[in-house]
Amino acid sequence: MPTTPNPALDIEGVQWRPISPRLIPVRQISVAIFLGLPGLVTIWPAVVVGSAMWILPAVLLALTAWLLWLIPRQVRSIGYAELEDDLLIRRGVMFRSLVVVPYGRMQYVDVEAGPIARKMKIAAVQLHTASAGSDASIPGLGEDEAARLRDQLTARGEARLAGL
């Protein structure tokens, strides 16, 4: 379903770069572990006790199924663009957001990857700025792209701080 253009969120002429689709199974595995397994485990007490105990496994398994369906859409909506002075990060299908981080405001750049992400050879780049509320991250980057982006953002941030 195409989204309605919004001048506050859609910038003309920007070449958006998508993240890796390998983030989809990483997030789906996490949901299955933290919601699906408890949903399955609670089936046994529901069988033993009966009636009202079925609510918990039903809710957990329904939530798991909904999130497994939703995650691919969410991941496909994440993108970023490197402009001359700013890094743009967009995400969201229903609740869309656009984060603009000026290179000169960046203090440092983190690259992080949990065990499932490492297995899938992806990482997240986390940008830290002077304002605690304006940190931004780009999840689901391939390892090589995360390293390239880390180096590129660090170099651009240092150049803007030095006033070059």
Side-chain angles (χ1 to χ4, degrees), residues 6 99 108:
N6 181 334
V99 177
Y108 63 97

Side-chain angles (χ1 to χ4, degrees), residues 3-12 14 16 77 79 81 88-100:
T3 58
T4 306
N6 181 334
L9 298 170
D10 300 318
I11 302 172
E12 269 188 58
V14 171
W16 293 100
S77 75
L88 308 178
I89 304 169
R90 72 173 182 183
R91 65 185 67 214
V93 178
M94 183 179 291
F95 298 98
R96 296 172 58 200
S97 73
L98 173 68
V99 177
V100 180

Side-chain angles (χ1 to χ4, degrees), residues 12-153:
E12 269 188 58
V14 171
Q15 192 71 13
W16 293 100
R17 298 181 70 159
I19 62 169
S20 173
R22 292 184 303 235
L23 182 62
I24 294 170
V26 169
R27 288 192 171 175
Q28 288 177 328
I29 289 168
S30 297
V31 164
I33 290 170
F34 292 108
L35 286 177
L37 285 178
L40 292 174
V41 168
T42 57
I43 289 176
W44 177 249
V47 169
V48 172
V49 175
S51 68
M53 282 295 291
W54 282 103
I55 293 172
L56 181 59
V59 168
L60 287 174
L61 294 174
L63 183 59
T64 301
W66 179 69
L67 287 173
L68 293 176
W69 171 82
L70 182 65
I71 286 169
R73 293 190 68 195
Q74 289 177 326
V75 169
R76 284 192 297 271
S77 75
I78 302 170
Y80 66 100
E82 298 172 74
L83 302 182
E84 189 174 325
D85 295 319
D86 306 306
L87 177 71
L88 308 178
I89 304 169
R90 72 173 182 183
R91 65 185 67 214
V93 178
M94 183 179 291
F95 298 98
R96 296 172 58 200
S97 73
L98 173 68
V99 177
V100 180
V101 182
Y103 297 127
R105 298 294 230 161
M106 286 189 288
Q107 292 186 322
Y108 63 97
V109 180
D110 277 341
V111 177
E112 34 189 62
I116 302 170
R118 285 194 310 271
K119 184 78 170 162
M120 297 297 287
K121 299 190 182 308
I122 60 173
V125 172
Q126 176 82 31
L127 309 160
H128 299 276
T129 63
S131 171
S134 66
D135 290 351
S137 68
I138 307 170
L141 295 173
E143 291 173 335
D144 293 339
E145 177 62 7
R148 184 204 66 81
L149 191 58
R150 176 201 62 215
D151 295 343
Q152 179 89 9
L153 294 175

